Amino acid sequence: MKDRETGRPAPAPEPRQTAIDPFVEHRRLLFGTAYHMLGSVADAEDILQDAWLKWHAVDQDLVEHPKAYLVRTVTNLALNHLTSARAVRETYVGPWLPEPLITPSNAVEETEMAETVSTAMLVVLETLNPTERVVFVLREVFGYSYAEIGGFLDRPAATVRQISRRARSHVQARRPRFDADDGARQEVTEKFMAACHGGDLNALMELLAPEVTLWNDGGGIVTAARRPLHGPDHVARWILGVMAKPVSADIRLEPAVVNGELSVVGMIGDYLVGALTYDIHDGRIENIRFQVNPNKLNGIQTAGGTDGPTLNTKGTR
């Protein structure tokens, strides 16, 4: 088509811009917020589903700040869920551990949540009351101001500041020690898998700190230790005992980045049967958290966005 005045070809019309749904745009942030507050992939996904329904039920043209509106919605849904979940966990069979989340290295770096999403940190957050946990996550993990958090929770900024100070003090007192050296963690992880596969009791005990403790979450669904195990001898014999059972004959251990840290997962074929995370201090494993509850392992598949678990190695040979 030509321009009527110049006779030259008329410029092509610019493509129409399609607005991105704010919910889709901020979904990663919303999921991270919910997961930090709940420690559960499945529950975080449920919260996002409810938030999506609420978002599409309002007149979005009247929402001046969609991101803040969505974070507030997820925050309050998570707070309500936390309040009810506390009663349920009082009757939980055996130790309760968070749902593991397979996290690609680049995703952790992008969201700057490697330490705060660790299983150890999520366990510490479980000791906070629901309001303290929500405030801590919004302030310490996502960097919201006291005024912004107060707006989310309908509380004065001064009150939020007090809650934040109390929660931060509580977390700092219980934050586990750990070594951040990736090379040391890789070396210990490789030795741990070799000792488990080889049934080498002495080699395994040498990797465990004198004060090592193991928590095993089976949720009453699969066989698991219902009380924490303490000491290198007890923990090592229990691990090798599990590996020696006929039901474990086909299990292979593989490295994977779980909750931002190089860890170990147990596989039978393409089926995930366990996720093992741990703290390393002075070159030895100090705390072990062994998740085998099948209801909590399904979330790893959701996080991977595939029909099976997405295992992302980090620095392994």
Side-chain angles (χ1 to χ4, degrees):
M1 183 179 294
K2 295 184 178 181
D3 187 285
R4 292 184 178 180
E5 296 182 0
T6 65
R8 297 175 180 176
E14 294 186 6
R16 180 178 298 176
Q17 296 286 338
T18 302
I20 300 177
D21 185 337
F23 186 91
V24 175
E25 181 182 0
H26 301 299
R27 193 185 190 285
R28 176 178 290 181
L29 167 67
L30 301 176
F31 174 83
T33 302
Y35 178 71
H36 274 82
M37 292 178 180
L38 303 175
S40 166
V41 174
D43 290 344
E45 292 288 359
D46 288 344
I47 291 295
L48 260 62
Q49 177 66 22
D50 290 344
W52 185 89
L53 293 173
K54 288 180 177 292
W55 170 242
H56 286 278
V58 301
D59 186 345
Q60 297 175 17
D61 292 335
L62 300 179
V63 180
E64 187 174 357
H65 302 291
K67 178 181 176 182
Y69 178 90
L70 290 167
V71 172
R72 175 178 179 146
T73 299
V74 167
T75 294
N76 283 283
L77 287 170
L79 185 58
N80 292 337
H81 185 88
L82 276 174
T83 302
S84 60
R86 288 176 72 88
V88 174
R89 289 175 187 172
E90 288 178 359
T91 60
Y92 194 81
V93 178
W96 183 95
L97 294 175
E99 279 188 38
L101 178 68
I102 294 290
T103 48
S105 302
N106 59 345
V108 173
E109 292 167 359
E110 288 173 10
T111 55
E112 298 180 348
M113 296 189 298
E115 180 183 344
T116 59
V117 82
S118 71
T119 305
M121 177 56 74
L122 292 176
V123 169
V124 172
L125 293 183
E126 279 293 312
T127 63
L128 299 174
N129 69 44
T131 302
E132 289 173 340
R133 181 166 185 168
V134 166
V135 169
F136 181 89
V137 168
L138 292 174
R139 176 64 180 172
E140 302 299 326
V141 179
F142 296 99
Y144 285 99
S145 68
Y146 298 120
E148 288 173 315
I149 300 172
F152 297 154
L153 301 178
D154 292 323
R155 296 189 180 217
T159 301
V160 172
R161 185 188 298 272
Q162 292 176 349
I163 295 172
S164 176
R165 185 182 299 113
R166 185 169 64 244
R168 186 169 58 251
S169 176
H170 182 98
V171 170
Q172 288 176 345
R174 292 162 177 78
R175 187 191 299 266
R177 302 173 296 172
F178 67 95
D179 289 340
D181 186 290
D182 288 344
R185 190 172 187 89
Q186 176 181 327
E187 181 179 357
V188 171
T189 297
E190 292 176 347
K191 289 181 178 180
F192 176 84
M193 290 189 295
C196 290
H197 280 305
D200 191 332
L201 177 63
N202 290 331
L204 185 55
M205 288 181 60
E206 288 179 1
L207 293 171
L208 303 179
E211 63 275 23
V212 65
T213 298
L214 181 146
W215 293 267
N216 189 203
D217 182 347
I221 300 174
V222 298
T223 302
R226 296 194 176 186
R227 295 181 180 179
L229 306 177
H230 304 285
D233 183 75
H234 196 186
V235 170
R237 290 183 185 278
W238 184 87
I239 291 175
L240 295 184
V242 170
M243 294 294 294
K245 290 182 178 180
V247 70
S248 304
D250 296 326
I251 289 181
R252 69 182 188 280
L253 301 181
E254 296 185 358
V257 179
V258 181
N259 289 79
E261 297 178 320
L262 180 61
S263 305
V264 174
V265 293
M267 307 288 296
I268 295 181
D270 294 330
Y271 185 68
L272 183 69
V273 294
L276 190 148
T277 60
Y278 36 84
D279 304 327
I280 296 177
H281 184 68
D282 289 338
R284 290 188 174 185
I285 296 174
E286 197 166 73
N287 299 299
I288 302 176
R289 302 169 190 89
F290 193 20
Q291 182 59 263
V292 292
N293 183 340
N295 290 341
K296 293 186 177 183
L297 296 175
N298 290 332
I300 287 184
Q301 299 173 6
T302 302
T306 64
D307 294 331
T310 301
L311 304 181
N312 300 280
T313 58
K314 180 178 180 182
T316 54
R317 290 187 285 269

